[in-house]
Amino acid sequence: MYTRAYKGSDQVSVLGLGCMRLPRLNSEAQEIDYVKAQEIVDYAFASGINYFDTAYKYHDGGSEVFLGSALKKYDRSSFYLATKMPIWEADSPDAMRRIFYHQLERLQTDYFDFYLFHALNQDNFRKCVDFGLYEFLSEKKREGVIRNLGFSFHDSPQVLEQIVDAYEWDFAQIQLNYLDWDMQNAKRQYEILTDHHLPVIVMEPVRGGVLANPCEAANALFREARPDQSIASWAIRYAASLPNVMTVLSGMSTMEQIEDNVRTMTNFEPLTEADYEVIDRAVDAYRKKDTIPCTGCRYCMDCPSGVEIPTVFSLYNQYALNQNKEVFDEIDATARAEQCIACGQCMEHCPQSIPIPEKMAMIAELIQS
């Protein structure tokens, strides 16, 4: 497994296991299939993956509980454990502290290798400052309960610079892939972190699975260039080829996905100039499709009107690629786009800044037309 040094001799696997999309018992709930998920964790560990990333709210809180159980069989010094503080869940500094200690309990550990302020934007960061979160977590770092302190980020480059300059950080996590390099200015975010000598952890390298099958025109370009490699491997290699990227997190839901990613990162081959040209052409092909940039993170959920927002967007993107309206029959009527009342609650948490009510109205009109 391809690794990079972090703080001297520590070798961190460039492929990390993101635990936001673990196998589920059924598609209607977030309950984790422990047997299948344990197989993925065990395969990851055996393959040299040593970075495991979770968060307080993943799988409705079940991800941390599962990971604490799944990693218990391994020597604690043999892997790096990362989780995050969801500041929007805390209504006081005391609540913030309760969440932190609850995470230690869930993950059955007495320290975190990497601890993050979760999904920082301008508003969330202001709340962190008001609650004294950095001071509290810095104290935990001095005590050894946190080894490295950083943040994950969803906002503009200008806000990123403010956050980077506000405190002393060890690393940062950003959404980076070959679509968002320009579409969400991931390039500038990467440059800011690199200029500040902060190692980058990449989230959404395959954009919630979208870049495993962007569109047939793009797929054809990738297959022609490298017929022996998967479509998803191009996205993983794109992120891992950047020199200041320490770890690329992939939310691997099946054994097929992790086996493919491990193949990509074993005897790793950085992108060539010819590869970049293929990606540029594939991006041009993708942009001709009218898709919605939802990654399925579920930060928008639960919807008070019962709309299954990520599923609706996923079905719409399937429609955009094949123009088959029958895909919308896969979702229950009570969870469809037409149930949206445009309350805007979802917009407060969407990392992609998608105008969700507007898109729901568009999809509802499309279905009814």
Side-chain angles (χ1 to χ4, degrees), residues 308-340:
E308 182 58 36
I309 299 169
T311 303
V312 171
F313 285 161
S314 175
L315 294 175
Y316 174 79
N317 286 341
Q318 291 179 47
Y319 164 79
L321 296 176
N322 58 32
Q323 300 297 300
N324 179 12
K325 281 190 183 180
E326 291 182 2
V327 297
F328 294 110
D329 296 337
E330 297 179 18
I331 189 170
D332 189 84
T334 61
R336 293 181 181 176
E338 54 265 36
Q339 302 301 321
C340 174

Side-chain angles (χ1 to χ4, degrees), residues 31 58 96 99 131 180 221 233 235 239 262 266 268 282 289 296 300 369:
E31 188 176 357
Y58 290 173
M96 176 187 71
I99 289 172
F131 281 6
D180 291 324
L221 291 167
S233 71
V262 166
T266 301
F268 175 70
K289 296 291 183 180
C300 57
S369 64

Side-chain angles (χ1 to χ4, degrees), residues 259-332:
E259 288 167 357
D260 179 56
N261 285 344
V262 166
R263 279 193 298 270
T264 299
M265 297 306 296
T266 301
N267 301 318
F268 175 70
E269 181 185 354
L271 292 176
T272 65
E273 184 176 340
D275 289 332
Y276 282 112
E277 291 175 358
V278 172
I279 288 174
D280 287 343
R281 290 162 59 202
V283 169
D284 287 341
Y286 179 84
R287 282 176 169 168
K288 293 176 182 177
K289 296 291 183 180
D290 183 22
T291 55
I292 296 171
C294 174
T295 66
C297 69
R298 299 187 67 83
Y299 293 171
C300 57
M301 298 296 287
D302 288 331
C303 168
S305 298
V307 180
E308 182 58 36
I309 299 169
T311 303
V312 171
F313 285 161
S314 175
L315 294 175
Y316 174 79
N317 286 341
Q318 291 179 47
Y319 164 79
L321 296 176
N322 58 32
Q323 300 297 300
N324 179 12
K325 281 190 183 180
E326 291 182 2
V327 297
F328 294 110
D329 296 337
E330 297 179 18
I331 189 170
D332 189 84

